[in-house]
């Protein structure tokens, strides 16, 4: 994956996390937006991250958005960090440790 696409995913992830935070602006409106946003966020997660990781992240994203008061968790950003920082095969930190 090229760096441009990698950082585009980060930008999109931050935007999607911010959309998830919208429900905190108007409290009574939260339930309505969460019912709509939970499946949408799960779908977007599967489109952004393929395979088993994407499916697991989609379930986590759905549950996080569907349950009250968990909207504060930046699921998309955390998934990006997991994918490109923690578990990346090209991770320089891992290479340094292995040497």
């Amino acid at each position: 994956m090229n760096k441009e696409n990698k950082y585009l995913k980060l930008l999109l992830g931050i935007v999607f996390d911010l959309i998830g935070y919208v429900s905190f602006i108007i409290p009574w409106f939260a339930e309505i937006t969460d019912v709509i946003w939970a499946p949408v966020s799960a779908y977007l997660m599967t489109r952004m991250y393929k395979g088993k990781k994407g499916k697991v992240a989609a379930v986590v994203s759905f549950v996080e958005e569907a349950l009250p008061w968990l909207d504060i968790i930046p699921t998309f950003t955390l998934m990006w960090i997991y994918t490109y920082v923690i578990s990346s095969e090209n991770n320089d930190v891992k290479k340094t440790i292995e040497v």
Side-chain angles (χ1 to χ4, degrees):
M1 170 137 327
N2 63 25
K3 285 188 179 188
E4 187 174 312
N5 194 11
K6 173 180 166 179
Y7 293 110
L8 177 61
K9 280 187 178 182
L10 176 60
L11 178 64
L12 286 173
I14 291 170
V15 168
F16 295 152
D17 285 332
L18 290 173
I19 291 170
Y21 295 152
V22 168
S23 65
F24 285 115
I25 295 172
I26 306 171
W28 60 268
F29 192 61
E31 290 76 23
I32 296 169
T33 58
D34 287 345
V35 166
I36 295 167
W37 181 243
V40 171
S41 70
Y43 173 76
L44 291 171
M45 193 67 82
T46 61
R47 300 300 297 165
M48 288 177 69
Y49 301 98
K50 303 295 182 194
K52 186 177 179 180
K53 284 194 306 189
K55 291 176 185 175
V56 170
V59 170
V60 170
S61 180
F62 180 84
V63 169
E64 179 259 328
E65 291 295 339
L67 293 177
W69 301 108
L70 291 180
D71 293 359
I72 195 74
I73 301 169
T75 312
F76 283 93
T77 305
L78 291 174
M79 180 59 179
W80 186 89
I81 291 169
Y82 172 76
T83 301
Y84 294 107
V85 177
I86 295 172
S87 71
S88 176
E89 292 177 8
N90 298 322
N91 191 340
D92 291 335
V93 174
K94 283 183 178 178
K95 288 179 182 176
T96 303
I97 293 171
E98 290 174 359
V99 172

